[in-house]
Amino acid sequence: MGIDTLFLLPISQHSHKNKKGEFGSPYAVQDFFGIDKELKETLTGDGLTVEEEFAAFVEACHMVGIRVVIDVIPRTCARDNRLILENPEWFYWIPVTELDYYHPPHVPGIGENVKPEHAFLPMIYGSEDVWAHLRRFSMAPNLVDADKWETVKAYLLEHPQENLLAVIEREFGLTTAPAFSDCINDPQPPWSDVTYFRLFLDHPTAAAPYVSEANLAPYILFDSIKSNQFRGDQINEPLWAMLADIIPHYQREYGIDGARIDMGHALPVDLAQRILQQPRALDANFSFIAEELIEIGAWAAKEAGYNMIIGYGFYKEPRFDTHETHQFIYDSRFLPLPVFAAGETADTRRLATRDGGRQASRLLTVLNGFVPNGVPMTNSGLELYETQPMNTGLDCRPEEAYQLFPTNPYFGKLAFFDAYQFHWDHPERNEMIELMHQVAEVRRRWLDVLVNPSHFEPLAMQQMDAPFIGLAWLRPDTNETLLVVANTSMHHSLQGKVPLDGVRRRNWNASRFAEMVYSPTSWPYAEHSFDENWDLWVDLKPGEVKIYEMK
């Protein structure tokens, strides 16, 4: 199938307090240095610990040439994170009695879903709702009553089975403040299962003119959340050192090969640099994925030291009718970093539910193998035409979580938070797997060319508005040419001429002979498809892709 990297959701021990769904979110990390006990394989019984199993898993992957990439969350954590026991001042606190009233404060006159900027600070701190919000916060429990804190801490050390936050809530009437979006007037409610770290021990420097005389406890607000723009003066150095050691820990213990940094662009620049630099001191080839969705952010991600970005392909690729598919595939070559070539992710709607359904899934799976500057990514379940999303965080409809029949035991379940299994009994479960095998075989022959976007040449039909995508890859040392042509209409066939003059002139390929190496409807065969001008004549069914090699 051509899989050479496994990209995992967070594997650290997550929390069940204030949980989402049946199991809770893997992003609500309770212990950054412990493997989630729910990942334990029951078949091994007591023979292996979950840590030994993960070490064996990584070793087995390496033996067959597969790299392992994990997801790391350095900005937020579970509200009952175990670091509270030794470092309660690393967190934000509110009275339990304020939870029912706690919400992202409204700022009049700005609009909805607005990113915070320095120019907005007078309006933010001029909002009555903001000030009501700021006054909800409390000092950490160890600062409220130091003697009582030591007693509670000793009790928790003696009773590790008890939930530390539940005990603190009972004894102090305080709880960690839920996190919320860093966008001003975002309609999302607070995220009940996670909180933010206090990356700085003082308020944002830019907020000083508004809060310096107010004697406020540490607080969560749009500016303090966005600490890459709104820094404090006092770095929380022990916390920064701990966060920077999370990835090296998994390198030392398990030999992982890469990581995605959750919201890394919102971290203080110097903290982000530590997080990126320390793993490369252990492994110069360690790779980082930036959680950068908008392509313009790729330049900043490259400067920061990332190897690739997630990008916006999951949104653009399925939108055939508006030609956003074409724009993404043709323009990705201009990005300074590679981008995921994928029509769905673990956070999005499934491709099988889009216009074209399974046909669109097959079309994009083939095309994504040849996107210039693209890294083909198969979201688990795509190969089974899975319709139920794993999460509904991006580009989803209100009813997205209910794609299965109500009689299905997994109706309304999301794999991020609930017990779920893919539909391995899908009657066409082998179709996509066989397709991926075929694409992988072509990619193996052309990988030396595909990794360099300078070898790419876009193709177009004579009728410029045709639902057509054409990709040419040129091997300069042998003049061989790979042609990938696709009909992006899910409902109509497409016939027409594809001019090859530019490709032939650039690659000096004068061949009148092309071998079809992939077609969903035909066996590979030698096809004389060039007209009297040596151009390619295509006849494509709805959603069809064909691949030719010109020797």
Side-chain angles (χ1 to χ4, degrees):
M1 293 171 65
I3 305 298
D4 61 10
T5 303
L6 294 180
F7 177 20
L8 307 177
L9 288 176
I11 59 172
S12 300
Q13 181 63 52
H14 76 276
S15 170
H16 294 88
K17 187 171 176 58
N18 307 305
K19 66 183 180 182
K20 296 178 180 177
E22 297 169 348
F23 295 136
S25 169
Y27 290 87
V29 177
Q30 189 180 55
D31 180 358
F32 284 97
F33 299 95
I35 302 288
D36 195 334
K37 302 304 180 188
E38 291 176 0
L39 297 177
K40 178 76 178 71
E41 174 54 64
T42 56
L43 290 176
T44 63
D46 297 329
L48 291 173
T49 65
V50 67
E51 291 80 12
E52 290 169 332
E53 288 176 3
F54 185 64
F57 168 77
V58 175
E59 183 178 2
C61 286
H62 289 169
M63 290 172 68
V64 294
I66 294 175
R67 293 163 63 86
V68 178
V69 174
I70 67 171
D71 214 349
V72 176
I73 309 96
R75 196 169 71 137
T76 61
C77 64
R79 288 178 54 205
D80 61 342
N81 188 280
R82 291 173 183 166
L83 293 167
I84 291 172
L85 191 60
E86 297 295 338
N87 305 282
E89 67 282 357
W90 289 4
F91 300 84
Y92 297 94
W93 297 87
I94 59 171
V96 174
T97 53
E98 293 286 348
L99 267 180
D100 288 342
Y101 311 100
Y102 183 86
H103 63 275
H106 181 71
V107 180
I110 286 186
E112 191 173 283
N113 264 324
V114 178
K115 293 184 178 180
E117 301 290 347
H118 284 80
F120 295 144
L121 289 180
M123 299 174 74
I124 293 172
Y125 286 99
S127 164
E128 291 183 9
D129 201 25
V130 165
W131 278 99
H133 169 79
L134 298 181
R135 294 189 180 103
R136 299 189 200 283
F137 287 82
S138 168
M139 300 303 289
N142 62 322
L143 301 178
V144 171
D145 189 331
D147 292 337
K148 186 176 183 179
W149 173 255
E150 290 303 320
T151 302
V152 170
K153 180 178 173 181
Y155 172 83
L156 287 168
L157 290 171
E158 293 173 4
H159 300 82
Q161 74 281 3
E162 293 220 33
N163 184 274
L164 62 86
L165 186 59
V167 173
I168 294 170
E169 290 174 342
R170 183 181 70 225
E171 297 297 325
F172 285 89
L174 295 175
T175 189
T176 45
F180 53 78
S181 169
D182 58 17
C183 287
I184 303 168
N185 299 337
D186 188 326
Q188 290 185 75
W191 306 329
S192 60
D193 56 341
V194 296
T195 188
Y196 284 108
F197 279 121
R198 280 187 68 202
L199 298 177
F200 293 93
L201 296 175
D202 54 346
H203 301 313
T205 306
Y210 310 98
V211 303
S212 58
E213 298 179 5
N215 194 29
L216 294 172
Y219 59 82
I220 295 173
L221 194 59
F222 315 112
D223 52 355
S224 63
I225 298 171
K226 204 81 179 236
S227 53
N228 62 320
Q229 290 179 253
F230 300 93
R231 298 176 58 94
D233 291 324
Q234 300 176 36
I235 290 174
N236 190 345
E237 178 55 40
L239 173 59
W240 285 31
M242 184 280 296
L243 294 173
D245 193 49
I246 294 172
I247 295 173
H249 165 78
Y250 286 94
Q251 290 177 276
R252 293 188 296 264
E253 296 297 319
Y254 307 106
I256 63 163
D257 306 289
R260 184 198 76 127
I261 309 300
D262 186 75
M263 293 299 291
H265 56 277
L267 294 171
V269 173
D270 38 351
L271 173 57
Q273 284 299 309
R274 286 200 211 182
I275 292 172
L276 267 65
Q277 289 171 358
Q278 290 186 202
R280 286 179 174 144
L282 299 175
D283 176 4
N285 294 318
F286 196 86
S287 300
F288 283 101
I289 303 170
E291 190 193 8
E292 190 60 68
L293 305 185
I294 307 303
E295 285 90 344
I296 196 171
W299 279 264
K302 181 177 183 179
E303 185 176 351
Y306 288 95
N307 297 93
M308 67 168 294
I309 65 169
I310 290 177
Y312 214 34
F314 64 84
Y315 178 90
K316 293 181 177 179
E317 284 198 5
R319 286 169 164 79
F320 305 111
D321 291 345
T322 59
H323 279 221
E324 290 176 84
T325 319
H326 306 66
Q327 185 266 325
F328 174 77
I329 290 177
Y330 285 134
D331 289 354
S332 292
R333 70 188 192 273
F334 300 122
L335 295 175
L337 287 177
V339 60
F340 272 140
E344 68 173 48
T345 74
D347 287 300
T348 71
R349 180 179 173 182
R350 289 287 194 173
L351 265 179
T353 69
R354 301 276 190 179
D355 180 39
R358 299 173 190 175
Q359 189 170 260
S361 300
R362 293 190 294 270
L363 167 73
L364 288 176
T365 297
V366 177
L367 281 179
N368 283 333
F370 306 97
V371 172
N373 216 17
V375 178
M377 195 272 283
T378 300
N379 185 40
S380 294
L382 172 71
E383 72 279 16
L384 300 171
Y385 297 122
E386 196 72 34
T387 58
Q388 182 70 357
M390 291 194 276
N391 189 26
T392 56
L394 295 168
D395 195 26
C396 287
R397 303 162 295 181
E399 71 276 13
E400 206 63 57
Y402 304 97
Q403 298 303 304
L404 302 174
F405 287 112
T407 55
N408 191 299
Y410 302 110
F411 176 75
K413 303 290 188 183
L414 297 175
F416 263 42
F417 319 112
D418 302 307
Y420 191 86
Q421 69 176 16
F422 294 140
H423 294 79
W424 302 105
D425 57 352
H426 192 289
E428 297 176 359
R429 60 187 177 275
N430 294 323
E431 185 176 70
M432 280 283 282
I433 293 174
E434 176 58 30
L435 179 153
M436 293 170 69
H437 275 298
Q438 293 180 53
V439 172
E441 188 57 40
V442 179
R443 278 182 51 82
R444 287 189 190 99
R445 294 199 300 270
W446 285 86
L447 192 58
D448 60 316
V449 176
L450 296 173
V451 295
N452 187 344
S454 69
H455 296 319
F456 170 74
E457 184 75 20
L459 301 176
M461 294 190 74
Q462 284 188 322
Q463 55 269 48
M464 296 302 294
D465 60 344
F468 173 81
I469 288 177
L471 315 174
W473 287 94
L474 319 178
R475 178 170 279 134
D477 53 338
T478 64
N479 306 116
E480 292 176 304
T481 303
L482 182 73
L483 304 176
V484 182
V485 294
N487 176 9
T488 60
S489 171
M490 298 295 111
H491 310 288
H492 303 286
S493 295
L494 177 66
Q495 298 87 30
K497 178 189 289 190
V498 180
L500 296 180
D501 185 62
V503 170
R504 292 185 183 279
R505 289 178 182 275
R506 181 177 166 189
N507 208 32
W508 295 102
N509 188 314
S511 175
R512 300 294 301 270
F513 178 86
E515 180 182 359
M516 182 190 293
V517 295
Y518 171 79
S519 167
T521 58
S522 307
W523 289 101
Y525 63 95
E527 179 177 326
H528 297 80
S529 297
F530 301 126
D531 64 11
E532 66 277 6
N533 296 314
W534 295 16
D535 293 326
L536 181 69
W537 178 264
V538 295
D539 186 355
L540 299 166
K541 295 178 175 63
E544 185 176 17
V545 187
K546 292 182 178 179
I547 303 176
Y548 301 90
E549 287 181 346
M550 294 167 55
K551 302 293 186 178

